Amino acid sequence: MSDLGNRLGSRRGLLGLAAGLGAAAVVGPELVTRALAAPAVVAQTGSLDKVRFTWNQSALCLISSAVAQDDGIFRKHGLDVELLNFGGSTDVMLETIATGKADVGFGMILRWLKPLEQGFDVKLVAGIHAGCSYVVTTRASGITSIEGLRGKTIGIADISGTSRNLYAIMMQNAGMDPERDVTWKAYPDDVMPIAIAKGEIDAYVAGDPVVYYQVQASKGELFRLASNATGDWEARTCCVLGIRGRMIRENPDIATRIRRAILEAAQATHNNPDRAVELALQYSPRQRTSNPQDVRNMLQSLPYYHQPIGDEFRAQVLAYAQELKRAGVLRPRTDPAQYTDRIVASIPV
């Protein structure tokens, strides 16, 4: 094993401690301005609308939920929000929202689109940020692009998971066949650098905080080749806001205020990352001994400055649906346009 493998192998304990930090679009500036400048509800004591909001409080990419709660943004928009910490599967989360056990949720769009095909009464209303997933390789590999992965072996924790679907889409968009042009091998996240150092794989897919600390420990030998926040993907949303369909139909004003609050909180996360870091450490007790600068660096790798809504958001969901159908993830009989119309809700700005 190379020095890289030895050095990173000794970091497993650190990576394990870091695992709780994280799990991720273009909108015209005028839409963001209109959404954030929309008049907030002036809430009187006892007049707030109660909302149950499900999220994973250990996921750094969802920290705007805490920003909205702790900095009074929800209350500013007339909402009394109960944050429900949820660590279960996406299917269970969507069922929780659809059946009224919760009203709103955050999640990675590529985790949501297949379960939503089943008909859950949950509507997507906005994108929150890009990022969340990375392809990592070594300087010595000579790989400099997604196309450079042709003929290579890629490590991934879940052969049939969301990250595989994401990079299959990227490869197809680059003219590659993700089934024939690359070989996928399953490895736990924390042994990926060892596998790459031993020559068992040429690159691997994982997310922060694991990737952050692995790259840091490699002293420049590992680097992020690509992510769903680089190149054309910087304009694509990763994590999305979903609201129970019944709430949108029966209480569209509340749904509108929920989205306004989250858009404002996402912008606040971008404008004041130090406050977001403070809350991330507070909401994830296991990470209170983490270096705040490391958390800040990870947070700033997630583009929080684009929150697509309206037509732009629908266009992005449609593109994902078309690509997932092409990749064989969505059912052959699913019509991407009709499917997108069903799961994306249009609510007032």
Side-chain angles (χ1 to χ4, degrees), residues 4 8 15 133-138 143 149 152-157 163 167 183-185 187-197 201-207 210-216 218 221-226:
L4 172 61
L8 296 179
L15 298 176
S133 179
Y134 303 93
V135 176
V136 180
T137 189
T138 64
I143 301 170
L149 293 171
K152 306 298 185 182
T153 300
I154 304 172
I156 194 164
S163 293
Y167 291 102
T183 300
W184 301 90
K185 292 183 70 173
Y187 287 89
D189 284 342
D190 64 343
V191 303
M192 295 287 193
I194 299 171
I196 206 170
I201 56 177
D202 302 291
Y204 65 91
V205 173
V210 172
V211 166
Y212 179 84
Y213 287 112
Q214 288 172 342
V215 170
Q216 188 180 64
S218 78
E221 293 183 53
L222 292 176
F223 74 100
R224 293 176 172 88
L225 173 70

Side-chain angles (χ1 to χ4, degrees), residues 60 63-64 66-67 71 73 264-280 295-296 299-300 304-305:
L60 183 62
I63 196 58
S64 54
V67 172
D71 289 355
I73 297 173
E264 183 174 336
Q267 285 295 307
T269 299
H270 172 67
N271 295 337
N272 189 2
D274 289 337
R275 174 57 176 161
V277 168
E278 178 186 350
L279 290 172
V295 180
R296 192 180 199 276
L299 181 68
Q300 291 189 303
Y304 255 102
Y305 44 83

Side-chain angles (χ1 to χ4, degrees), residues 98-109:
T99 58
K101 298 181 180 70
D103 304 298
V104 189
F106 259 164
M108 187 177 183
I109 187 168

Side-chain angles (χ1 to χ4, degrees), residues 2-304:
S2 70
D3 289 342
L4 172 61
N6 290 327
R7 194 159 61 241
L8 296 179
S10 66
R11 299 278 293 196
R12 290 192 192 181
L14 173 60
L15 298 176
L17 287 173
L21 268 173
V26 174
V27 57
E30 71 283 356
L31 283 180
V32 171
T33 301
R34 286 168 56 200
L36 298 184
V41 173
V42 180
Q44 304 296 324
T45 302
S47 67
L48 302 179
D49 290 302
K50 293 187 178 297
V51 174
R52 289 159 296 183
F53 196 120
T54 180
W55 70 311
N56 183 342
Q57 70 182 44
S58 295
L60 183 62
C61 63
L62 305 182
I63 196 58
S64 54
S65 306
V67 172
Q69 180 78 315
D70 283 50
D71 289 355
I73 297 173
F74 282 136
R75 293 185 67 85
K76 170 185 171 183
H77 290 273
L79 304 170
D80 177 10
V81 171
E82 177 185 4
L83 291 180
L84 306 175
N85 187 24
F86 187 91
S89 70
T90 300
D91 295 61
V92 175
M93 173 184 276
L94 292 173
E95 183 179 7
T96 298
I97 299 170
T99 58
K101 298 181 180 70
D103 304 298
V104 189
F106 259 164
M108 187 177 183
I109 187 168
L110 283 172
R111 293 187 190 278
W112 284 36
L113 290 181
K114 180 60 179 178
L116 283 174
E117 197 180 28
Q118 300 174 30
F120 289 113
D121 188 25
V122 178
K123 308 300 181 184
L124 307 183
V125 298
I128 307 304
H129 66 80
C132 284
S133 179
Y134 303 93
V135 176
V136 180
T137 189
T138 64
R139 304 285 178 189
S141 71
I143 301 170
T144 59
S145 65
I146 290 291
E147 293 89 335
L149 293 171
R150 192 185 301 270
K152 306 298 185 182
T153 300
I154 304 172
I156 194 164
D158 184 353
I159 290 290
S160 60
T162 300
S163 293
R164 163 74 178 273
N165 295 338
L166 167 65
Y167 291 102
I169 289 171
M170 285 193 182
M171 290 176 190
Q172 288 177 330
N173 291 348
M176 298 169 60
D177 183 333
E179 302 300 324
R180 298 182 179 181
D181 290 341
V182 300
T183 300
W184 301 90
K185 292 183 70 173
Y187 287 89
D189 284 342
D190 64 343
V191 303
M192 295 287 193
I194 299 171
I196 206 170
K198 293 170 65 176
E200 297 174 3
I201 56 177
D202 302 291
Y204 65 91
V205 173
D208 281 342
V210 172
V211 166
Y212 179 84
Y213 287 112
Q214 288 172 342
V215 170
Q216 188 180 64
S218 78
K219 300 188 183 303
E221 293 183 53
L222 292 176
F223 74 100
R224 293 176 172 88
L225 173 70
S227 79
N228 54 336
T230 56
D232 293 342
W233 286 76
E234 185 180 6
R236 288 241 199 163
T237 194
C238 177
C239 286
V240 295
L241 180 68
I243 301 178
R244 183 159 48 101
R246 183 173 179 179
M247 170 175 278
I248 293 174
R249 292 188 295 272
E250 296 181 359
N251 298 287
D253 175 64
I254 296 177
T256 295
R257 285 185 277 129
I258 291 169
R259 187 175 70 176
R260 286 177 183 167
I262 287 298
L263 291 176
E264 183 174 336
Q267 285 295 307
T269 299
H270 172 67
N271 295 337
N272 189 2
D274 289 337
R275 174 57 176 161
V277 168
E278 178 186 350
L279 290 172
L281 297 176
Q282 172 186 321
Y283 274 86
S284 185
R286 291 175 299 169
Q287 306 307 323
R288 286 177 182 164
T289 58
S290 299
N291 182 337
Q293 186 57 49
D294 288 336
V295 180
R296 192 180 199 276
N297 292 343
M298 284 184 269
L299 181 68
Q300 291 189 303
S301 72
L302 304 171
Y304 255 102

